[in-house]
């Protein structure tokens, strides 16, 4: 008899919960999206459709824009060189390196992001400027940053490859020419910093290998002995502060 009562109570409780859930969802208003194709003679409808396609394209290219037009490229390459120089293949993990590179990029690009927001985004939202002007004001801080970090030789290379006349001023350099020149310059700078990072750790590896050969311990890999010393050296010189500080200062 008690089992029957408990079963009935459980059924009533489940029914009550279902009724409450149904009543709650009955009061929820869900948005709907209608997608379809239709013919139109209104040019404004066509322009609106093109704008949507362009916005979706920009959102798709957002990761590439972040990588190619900011400080991210140099930072992530230098951090990767540092991990290789230390000899720890998975420490720090890739997710941590990418996250650190992203936050350092936001820190370095802070002034440019502020200018983009105050001169391009907010006036466009307020309706004070049109789309063309907003795009120009948005690109201006990024172009200023890239021009400051781009080597003249790399810029001249892509101007020559584009088969265009030599710009009279840096402001006349097209963005499509500036971006690849900036990326090449960042790669060169990052590899130079990586070479400097490798040197002290390479010395430790050579010393460890020489000591092991002198002791006749040919079967023991030198990296097993040198790894603790490299980590200890990196800690003693406060390596993270030194690397991050020098890398951020290199954008000044």
């Amino acid at each position: 008899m008690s089992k029957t009562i408990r079963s009935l109570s459980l059924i009533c409780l489940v029914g009550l919960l279902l009724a409450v859930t149904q009543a709650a969802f009955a009061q929820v208003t869900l948005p709907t999206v209608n997608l379809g194709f239709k013919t139109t003679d209104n040019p404004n409808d066509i322009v609106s459709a093109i704008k949507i396609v362009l916005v979706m394209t920009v959102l798709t290219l957002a990761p590439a824009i972040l990588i190619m037009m900011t400080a991210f490229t140099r930072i992530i390459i230098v951090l990767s060189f540092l991990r290789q120089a230390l000899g720890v293949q998975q420490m720090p993990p890739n997710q941590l390196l990418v996250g650190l590179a992203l936050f350092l990029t936001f820190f370095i690009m802070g002034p440019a992001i502020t200018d983009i927001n105050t001169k391009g985004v907010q006036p466009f939202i307020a309706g004070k400027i049109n789309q063309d002007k907003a795009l120009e004001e948005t690109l201006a801080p990024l172009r200023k940053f890239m021009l400051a970090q781009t080597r003249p030789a790399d810029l001249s290379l892509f101007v020559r490859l584009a088969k265009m006349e030599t710009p009279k001023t840096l402001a006349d350099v097209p963005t499509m020419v500036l971006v690849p020149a900036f990326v090449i310059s960042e790669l060169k700078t990052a590899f130079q910093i990586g070479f400097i990072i490798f040197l002290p750790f390479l010395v430790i590896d050579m010393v460890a290998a020489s000591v092991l050969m002198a002791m006749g311990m040919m079967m023991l890999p030198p990296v097993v002995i040198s790894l603790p010393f490299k980590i200890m050296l990196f800690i003693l010189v406060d390596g993270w502060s030194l690397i991050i500080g020098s890398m951020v200062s290199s954008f000044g």
Side-chain angles (χ1 to χ4, degrees), residues 60-105:
T60 304
L61 297 177
I65 295 174
L66 174 63
I67 293 174
M68 297 299 177
M69 300 177 66
T70 62
F72 182 84
T73 301
R74 184 189 304 185
I75 296 172
I76 192 63
I77 291 177
V78 170
L79 293 179
S80 299
F81 269 120
L82 174 61
R83 186 171 64 178
Q84 292 291 331
L86 283 172
V88 284
Q89 301 299 323
Q90 299 298 329
M91 294 299 293
N94 292 328
Q95 293 85 350
L96 181 58
L97 289 183
V98 173
L100 178 59
L102 283 174
F103 278 101
L104 286 176
T105 301

Side-chain angles (χ1 to χ4, degrees), residues 16-89:
L16 180 60
L17 290 176
L18 290 176
V20 172
T21 304
Q22 184 177 4
F25 276 104
Q27 299 177 357
V28 176
T29 302
L30 297 178
T32 59
V33 178
N34 295 323
L35 297 177
F37 297 94
K38 64 178 182 178
T39 59
T40 180
D41 296 329
N42 187 0
N44 293 329
D45 294 338
I46 300 176
V47 173
S48 299
I50 294 176
K51 290 180 180 179
I52 294 175
V53 173
L54 292 177
V55 170
M56 297 300 295
T57 303
V58 171
L59 292 177
T60 304
L61 297 177
I65 295 174
L66 174 63
I67 293 174
M68 297 299 177
M69 300 177 66
T70 62
F72 182 84
T73 301
R74 184 189 304 185
I75 296 172
I76 192 63
I77 291 177
V78 170
L79 293 179
S80 299
F81 269 120
L82 174 61
R83 186 171 64 178
Q84 292 291 331
L86 283 172
V88 284
Q89 301 299 323

Side-chain angles (χ1 to χ4, degrees), residues 138-169:
T138 300
L139 284 177
L142 292 177
R143 285 177 54 86
K144 180 180 178 181
F145 173 81
M146 289 189 291
L147 287 170
Q149 305 301 326
T150 304
R151 290 180 172 84
D154 296 326
L155 193 59
S156 300
L157 171 64
F158 281 93
V159 168
R160 185 171 65 255
L161 292 176
K163 298 180 179 179
M164 56 179 294
E165 296 182 359
T166 303
K168 297 181 180 179
T169 62

